[in-house]
Amino acid sequence: MISIITGIYNQKSMNELFYQTLVENTYHPFELIIVDNNSTDGSKEFFAQKDNVVLIENNGNYNYPYCQNIGLKKAKHELVCFFNNDILVSSNWDVKVMEILKKEKNIKVLSVATNDHVESKPAQKKIARKWKKIKYPIQTIFGNNKMALKLMAYLMYGEFQKFAEKRFSKWGYQLIEGYSGSAIISTKKFMESIELWDERIQAADYDLFNRVKKISLTDSSVSPIALALGIYFHHFQRLTYKTKFPPFKNQSIMMSLTEKWGKETDELRKDIVG
């Protein structure tokens, strides 16, 4: 019923926690399509053992949109979720997502609240400051092993699922214009209709927002990407920011967001809240 597409390069502890949170908190059956960029730490071997995982092995490190497009072409189900591997999902997230998409026919791409993007700039600054104070000291002392990741989440939220349910009680199915790049949800049909992700742009979430927003300005059946305030995921954010990743194999075709959009991006993004 659901295809979840995730590109990875190493981060075995995070990958194990990511898979665990999906299994424990996703109500409907799902296939997890892992696009592995030649991991060397046992991550691809871990996923290869799982019955509901489709493992695609690249011969090197490719950028985000390239990996998402490979996964999308393999997806068996109409509902497709483009998730980073460094997230924790909340209980029954998929049920709530389907409720929104069933009711809001014009929403073709949906995202969820995370510590990257919530309901307002003041709320976002508050949660970002708290996460920064927790993440970096724990990383410095313990690294990014599974115990450290769980400790970070506990210090941030207490019991994460209770925190997420409290947010749902407050915000319910309320939507605003915006997105969290770590969790993008759409349909296979819509993504194919807009010719998939643009593989030239590493900041593919920004690019996708701009593209959908531009379509919405002339097509009343399409809304800008919406952020579901009552569905909350935690994003660990740049766990390996000091790691020197292998250069992208498709580097030669890449361009910046500014090269593609210029000043038009400011106009397209002016209504984003938070």
Side-chain angles (χ1 to χ4, degrees):
M1 186 174 289
I2 304 170
S3 295
I4 300 171
I5 302 165
T6 301
I8 68 166
Y9 176 72
N10 290 337
Q11 297 185 332
K12 184 181 178 184
S13 292
M14 187 66 250
N15 290 325
E16 291 174 351
L17 188 58
F18 169 62
Y19 182 77
Q20 179 184 344
T21 189
L22 285 178
V23 170
E24 291 178 352
N25 298 300
T26 306
Y27 178 82
H28 293 100
F30 67 90
E31 65 168 355
L32 175 60
I33 302 173
I34 292 292
V35 184
D36 181 80
N37 283 316
N38 204 23
S39 293
T40 57
D41 67 344
S43 288
K44 61 184 173 184
E45 289 80 7
F46 167 76
F47 283 118
Q49 298 172 3
K50 306 302 178 185
D51 292 337
N52 61 341
V53 170
V54 177
L55 179 63
I56 301 171
E57 297 183 53
N58 285 336
N59 63 356
N61 193 29
Y62 287 83
N63 68 1
Y64 174 85
Y66 178 92
C67 293
Q68 300 310 301
N69 283 343
I70 288 178
L72 186 58
K73 290 170 185 176
K74 288 283 187 179
K76 295 178 182 177
H77 305 295
E78 181 59 18
L79 185 63
V80 288
C81 305
F82 305 98
F83 287 174
N84 283 19
N85 70 319
D86 58 343
I87 61 172
L88 301 177
V89 304
S90 52
S91 181
N92 292 330
W93 64 272
D94 52 321
V95 175
K96 296 165 186 172
V97 161
M98 290 180 183
E99 282 293 318
I100 292 172
L101 295 178
K102 181 179 179 181
K103 181 179 179 182
E104 305 290 343
K105 301 296 186 183
N106 286 5
I107 294 178
K108 309 301 183 183
V109 185
L110 182 69
S111 188
V112 303
T114 68
N115 46 308
D116 297 320
H117 196 171
V118 286
E119 59 275 3
S120 67
K121 288 183 179 179
Q124 179 55 46
K125 287 180 180 179
K126 182 178 179 181
I127 200 168
R129 282 195 298 266
K130 182 177 181 181
W131 176 236
K132 185 176 181 179
K133 288 179 181 179
I134 290 169
K135 176 184 175 182
Y136 293 110
I138 298 298
Q139 272 191 313
T140 300
I141 298 170
F142 299 109
N144 292 322
N145 59 54
K146 198 180 297 186
M147 180 201 73
L149 295 169
K150 290 181 177 180
L151 179 58
M152 290 180 205
Y154 178 77
L155 293 175
M156 183 71 180
Y157 303 107
E159 190 173 332
F160 174 67
Q161 296 302 336
K162 286 185 178 179
F163 173 88
E165 277 305 309
K166 186 176 180 181
R167 274 197 63 93
F168 185 72
S169 295
K170 179 177 181 179
W171 295 105
Y173 293 106
Q174 186 171 333
L175 304 171
I176 59 173
E177 186 171 323
Y179 64 97
S180 297
S182 57
I184 302 288
I185 301 159
S186 186
T187 63
K188 190 171 184 180
K189 181 179 179 180
F190 181 75
M191 292 301 296
E192 289 172 342
S193 76
I194 62 170
E195 300 181 348
L196 313 182
W197 297 83
D198 187 339
E199 295 180 9
R200 300 171 300 169
I201 310 292
Q202 173 65 359
D205 51 339
Y206 280 71
D207 179 68
L208 182 65
F209 177 86
N210 287 0
R211 291 163 66 197
V212 176
K213 176 72 173 188
K214 193 166 184 177
I215 292 169
S216 74
L217 296 176
T218 56
D219 185 347
S220 60
S221 69
V222 177
S223 296
I225 298 180
L227 187 79
L229 295 179
I231 308 173
Y232 188 88
F233 292 0
H234 175 68
H235 182 207
F236 283 93
Q237 302 173 336
R238 296 183 180 87
L239 285 179
T240 53
Y241 70 100
K242 290 184 178 180
T243 301
K244 292 184 178 180
F245 291 97
F248 292 128
K249 298 278 282 188
N250 58 335
Q251 183 71 44
S252 63
I253 70 165
M254 292 175 64
M255 64 191 301
S256 70
L257 192 72
T258 302
E259 286 177 291
K260 178 176 179 179
W261 291 97
K263 294 183 179 180
E264 186 180 8
T265 193
D266 295 329
E267 180 64 21
L268 292 170
R269 300 172 67 84
K270 67 179 182 179
D271 297 321
I272 293 179
V273 179

Coordinates of all heavy atoms in Angstrom, one line a residue, residues 208-241:
L208 N 11.5 21.1 -5.6 CA 10.2 20.5 -5.8 C 9.1 21.5 -5.3 O 8.1 21.6 -5.9 CB 10.1 19.2 -5.0 CG 8.8 18.5 -5.1 CD1 8.5 18.0 -6.5 CD2 8.7 17.3 -4.1
F209 N 9.4 22.1 -4.1 CA 8.5 23.1 -3.7 C 8.2 24.2 -4.7 O 7.0 24.5 -5.0 CB 8.9 23.8 -2.4 CG 8.0 24.9 -1.9 CD1 6.9 24.6 -1.1 CD2 8.1 26.2 -2.4 CE1 6.0 25.5 -0.8 CE2 7.2 27.2 -2.0 CZ 6.1 26.8 -1.2
N210 N 9.3 24.7 -5.3 CA 9.1 25.8 -6.3 C 8.3 25.3 -7.5 O 7.5 26.0 -8.0 CB 10.5 26.2 -6.8 CG 11.2 27.1 -5.8 OD1 10.7 27.4 -4.7 ND2 12.4 27.5 -6.1
R211 N 8.6 24.1 -7.9 CA 7.9 23.5 -9.1 C 6.4 23.4 -8.8 O 5.6 23.8 -9.7 CB 8.5 22.2 -9.5 CG 9.9 22.3 -10.0 CD 10.7 21.0 -10.0 NE 10.1 20.1 -11.0 CZ 10.3 18.7 -10.9 NH1 11.1 18.2 -10.0 NH2 9.7 17.9 -11.8
V212 N 6.1 22.8 -7.7 CA 4.7 22.6 -7.3 C 4.0 23.9 -7.1 O 2.8 24.1 -7.6 CB 4.5 21.7 -6.1 CG1 3.1 21.6 -5.7 CG2 5.1 20.3 -6.4
K213 N 4.6 24.9 -6.5 CA 4.1 26.2 -6.3 C 3.8 26.9 -7.6 O 2.7 27.5 -7.8 CB 5.0 27.0 -5.4 CG 4.6 28.5 -5.2 CD 3.4 28.6 -4.3 CE 3.2 30.1 -4.0 NZ 2.2 30.3 -2.9
K214 N 4.7 26.8 -8.5 CA 4.5 27.4 -9.8 C 3.3 26.8 -10.6 O 2.6 27.5 -11.2 CB 5.8 27.3 -10.6 CG 5.8 28.2 -11.9 CD 7.2 28.3 -12.5 CE 7.3 29.2 -13.6 NZ 8.7 29.4 -14.2
I215 N 3.2 25.5 -10.5 CA 2.0 24.8 -11.1 C 0.7 25.3 -10.5 O -0.2 25.6 -11.2 CB 2.1 23.3 -10.9 CG1 3.3 22.7 -11.8 CG2 0.8 22.6 -11.4 CD1 3.6 21.3 -11.5
S216 N 0.7 25.5 -9.1 CA -0.5 25.9 -8.4 C -1.0 27.3 -8.8 O -2.2 27.6 -8.7 CB -0.3 25.8 -6.9 OG 0.5 26.9 -6.5
L217 N -0.1 28.1 -9.3 CA -0.4 29.5 -9.7 C -1.3 29.5 -11.0 O -2.0 30.5 -11.2 CB 0.8 30.3 -9.9 CG 1.7 30.5 -8.7 CD1 3.0 31.3 -9.0 CD2 0.9 31.2 -7.6
T218 N -1.2 28.5 -11.8 CA -2.0 28.4 -13.0 C -3.0 27.2 -13.1 O -3.8 27.2 -14.0 CB -1.1 28.4 -14.2 OG1 -0.2 27.2 -14.1 CG2 -0.2 29.6 -14.3
D219 N -2.9 26.3 -12.1 CA -3.8 25.1 -12.1 C -4.4 25.0 -10.7 O -3.8 24.7 -9.7 CB -2.9 23.9 -12.4 CG -3.8 22.6 -12.5 OD1 -4.9 22.7 -12.1 OD2 -3.2 21.6 -12.9
S220 N -5.7 25.4 -10.7 CA -6.5 25.4 -9.5 C -6.7 24.0 -8.8 O -7.1 23.9 -7.7 CB -7.8 26.1 -9.7 OG -8.6 25.3 -10.6
S221 N -6.4 23.0 -9.6 CA -6.5 21.6 -9.0 C -5.3 21.2 -8.2 O -5.3 20.1 -7.6 CB -6.8 20.6 -10.1 OG -5.6 20.4 -10.9
V222 N -4.3 22.0 -8.2 CA -3.0 21.7 -7.5 C -2.7 22.8 -6.4 O -2.7 24.0 -6.8 CB -1.8 21.6 -8.4 CG1 -0.5 21.3 -7.7 CG2 -2.1 20.5 -9.5
S223 N -2.5 22.4 -5.2 CA -2.2 23.3 -4.1 C -0.6 23.3 -3.9 O 0.0 22.3 -4.3 CB -2.8 22.9 -2.8 OG -4.2 23.0 -2.9
P224 N -0.1 24.3 -3.3 CA 1.3 24.3 -3.0 C 1.6 23.1 -1.9 O 0.6 22.7 -1.3 CB 1.6 25.6 -2.3 CG 0.5 26.5 -2.8 CD -0.7 25.6 -3.0
I225 N 2.8 22.7 -1.8 CA 3.1 21.7 -0.8 C 2.6 22.1 0.6 O 2.8 23.3 1.0 CB 4.6 21.4 -0.7 CG1 5.1 20.8 -2.1 CG2 4.9 20.3 0.3 CD1 6.5 20.5 -2.2
A226 N 1.9 21.2 1.3 CA 1.3 21.6 2.6 C 2.1 20.8 3.7 O 2.5 19.7 3.5 CB -0.1 21.2 2.6
L227 N 2.2 21.5 4.8 CA 2.9 21.0 6.0 C 1.8 20.6 7.0 O 1.0 21.5 7.4 CB 3.8 22.0 6.6 CG 4.7 21.5 7.8 CD1 5.9 20.8 7.2 CD2 5.2 22.7 8.6
A228 N 1.7 19.3 7.3 CA 0.7 18.8 8.3 C 1.2 19.1 9.7 O 2.1 18.4 10.2 CB 0.4 17.4 8.1
L229 N 0.6 20.0 10.4 CA 1.2 20.4 11.7 C 1.0 19.4 12.8 O 1.8 19.3 13.8 CB 0.5 21.8 12.1 CG 0.9 23.0 11.3 CD1 0.1 24.2 11.8 CD2 2.4 23.2 11.2
G230 N 0.0 18.6 12.7 CA -0.3 17.6 13.7 C 0.4 16.3 13.6 O 0.4 15.4 14.5
I231 N 1.1 16.1 12.5 CA 1.9 14.9 12.3 C 3.4 15.3 12.4 O 3.9 16.1 11.7 CB 1.7 14.3 10.9 CG1 0.2 14.1 10.6 CG2 2.5 12.9 10.8 CD1 -0.1 13.6 9.2
Y232 N 4.1 14.7 13.4 CA 5.4 15.2 13.7 C 6.4 14.0 13.7 O 6.2 13.0 14.2 CB 5.4 15.7 15.2 CG 6.7 16.4 15.5 CD1 6.9 17.8 15.3 CD2 7.8 15.7 16.1 CE1 8.1 18.4 15.6 CE2 9.0 16.3 16.5 CZ 9.1 17.7 16.2 OH 10.3 18.3 16.5
F233 N 7.5 14.3 13.0 CA 8.7 13.4 12.9 C 9.9 14.1 13.5 O 10.0 15.4 13.5 CB 9.1 13.1 11.5 CG 8.1 12.2 10.7 CD1 6.9 11.8 11.2 CD2 8.4 11.9 9.4 CE1 6.0 11.0 10.5 CE2 7.5 11.1 8.6 CZ 6.3 10.6 9.2
H234 N 10.8 13.4 14.1 CA 12.1 14.0 14.5 C 13.1 13.7 13.5 O 13.2 12.6 12.9 CB 12.6 13.4 15.8 CG 13.9 13.9 16.2 ND1 14.1 15.2 16.6 CD2 15.1 13.3 16.2 CE1 15.4 15.4 16.8 NE2 16.0 14.3 16.6
H235 N 13.9 14.8 13.2 CA 15.0 14.7 12.2 C 16.3 14.9 12.9 O 16.5 16.0 13.5 CB 14.8 15.8 11.1 CG 15.8 15.7 10.0 ND1 16.1 16.8 9.3 CD2 16.6 14.7 9.5 CE1 17.1 16.5 8.4 NE2 17.4 15.2 8.5
F236 N 17.2 14.0 12.9 CA 18.5 14.1 13.6 C 19.4 15.1 12.9 O 20.3 15.6 13.6 CB 19.1 12.7 13.7 CG 18.5 11.9 14.7 CD1 17.5 11.0 14.4 CD2 19.0 11.9 16.0 CE1 17.0 10.1 15.4 CE2 18.4 11.1 17.0 CZ 17.4 10.2 16.7
Q237 N 19.2 15.4 11.7 CA 20.0 16.5 11.0 C 21.5 16.3 10.9 O 22.2 16.4 11.9 CB 19.7 17.9 11.7 CG 18.3 18.3 11.7 CD 18.1 19.5 12.6 OE1 18.9 19.9 13.4 NE2 17.0 20.3 12.3
R238 N 22.0 16.1 9.8 CA 23.4 16.1 9.5 C 24.2 15.3 10.5 O 25.2 15.9 11.1 CB 23.9 17.5 9.4 CG 23.3 18.3 8.2 CD 23.9 19.7 8.2 NE 23.4 20.5 7.1 CZ 22.2 21.2 7.2 NH1 21.6 21.2 8.3 NH2 21.8 21.9 6.1
L239 N 23.9 14.1 10.7 CA 24.6 13.3 11.7 C 26.1 13.2 11.4 O 27.0 13.1 12.3 CB 24.0 11.9 11.9 CG 22.7 11.8 12.6 CD1 22.2 10.4 12.7 CD2 22.8 12.4 14.1
T240 N 26.4 13.2 10.1 CA 27.8 13.0 9.7 C 28.3 14.2 8.9 O 29.0 14.1 7.9 CB 27.9 11.7 8.8 OG1 26.9 11.8 7.7 CG2 27.6 10.4 9.5
Y241 N 28.0 15.4 9.5 CA 28.3 16.6 8.8 C 29.8 16.8 8.7 O 30.3 17.5 7.8 CB 27.7 17.8 9.5 CG 28.3 18.1 10.9 CD1 29.2 19.2 11.0 CD2 28.0 17.4 12.0 CE1 29.8 19.5 12.2 CE2 28.5 17.7 13.2 CZ 29.5 18.8 13.3 OH 30.0 19.1 14.5

